[in-house]
Amino acid sequence: MISERTLLMVKPDGVRRSLVGLIITRIEQKGLEISNMRMFRMDDAFARIFYAEHNGRDYFAALLSFMTSGPVVALEVESPNAIALVRTAIGATRPEERLPGTIRADFSIQLTENVVHASASPTDAERELALVFGDSRTTLGTVHN
Ligand code: CDP
Ligand code: MG
């Protein structure tokens, strides 16, 4: 089966709560391969581009404020069906729909501060991986360390 790549990101609340190691362990234990990793703090310009599809929604300002509030840890994950597997592992967007055992269900009851992001489609995955790990990162974000 053809391998896929996706972006999994520990959001600022997950980093603040020291959940990075636990989330990486879950991914590794499942048998997914982590092929790249980066810690950085989004600036406003980067967050606006990363979440461009949400521009104009009533939660957009709160989302930008949250995503720029501290560093994130971005992981490139590879495996057959990586996009669907990682989306399943993180759990649903709505708190009441999150299944026990998923990262969001186990660590958050909130809609905005939900610990992790994962790409939703092959198009999103390529775009998000390029933003985070491609050349554009040097102009759009701030390296954390
Ligand atoms: O992250 P996911 O793909 O599951 O959900 P989304 O609908 O693409 O929304 C992106 C992010 O915006 C979510 O993970 C939440 O952090 C935030 N959001 C929010 O604060 N309020 C909403 N009504 C919807 C999303
Ligand atoms: Mg999404």
Side-chain angles (χ1 to χ4, degrees):
M1 185 175 279
I2 298 167
S3 197
E4 268 183 357
R5 301 186 314 155
T6 191
L7 177 75
L8 171 65
M9 192 163 62
V10 185
K11 293 184 175 185
D13 58 333
V15 176
R16 268 193 292 275
R17 293 169 59 193
S18 302
L19 296 174
V20 174
L22 198 150
I23 290 164
I24 288 175
T25 297
R26 286 189 174 209
I27 295 301
E28 290 182 329
Q29 284 178 335
K30 191 172 168 66
L32 295 159
E33 182 193 348
I34 296 169
S35 46
N36 206 347
M37 179 162 21
R38 180 165 178 250
M39 186 177 206
F40 69 104
R41 184 167 178 164
M42 290 189 185
D43 57 19
D44 187 72
F46 186 100
R48 279 177 185 279
I49 290 170
F50 189 85
Y51 277 122
E53 69 174 291
H54 301 277
N55 198 337
R57 308 300 291 267
D58 58 359
Y59 56 83
F60 191 57
L63 179 59
L64 294 180
S65 168
F66 165 51
M67 290 304 298
T68 58
S69 67
V72 300
V73 173
L75 308 163
E76 181 186 270
V77 178
E78 280 194 39
S79 84
N81 294 319
I83 294 165
L85 286 172
V86 175
R87 281 295 293 200
T88 300
I90 72 166
T93 307
R94 292 169 178 229
E96 66 276 18
E97 293 175 0
R98 293 173 190 159
L99 296 177
T102 62
I103 295 169
R104 285 175 172 173
D106 291 353
F107 300 108
S108 172
I109 57 168
Q110 297 193 48
L111 178 57
T112 303
E113 302 209 6
N114 55 7
V115 182
V116 277
H117 164 87
S119 308
S121 69
T123 311
D124 284 353
E126 284 311 311
R127 176 182 164 276
E128 292 170 5
L129 287 168
L131 277 173
V132 170
F133 294 109
D135 291 343
S136 54
R137 74 180 191 269
T138 51
T139 52
L140 292 175
T142 307
V143 174
H144 177 62
N145 50 6

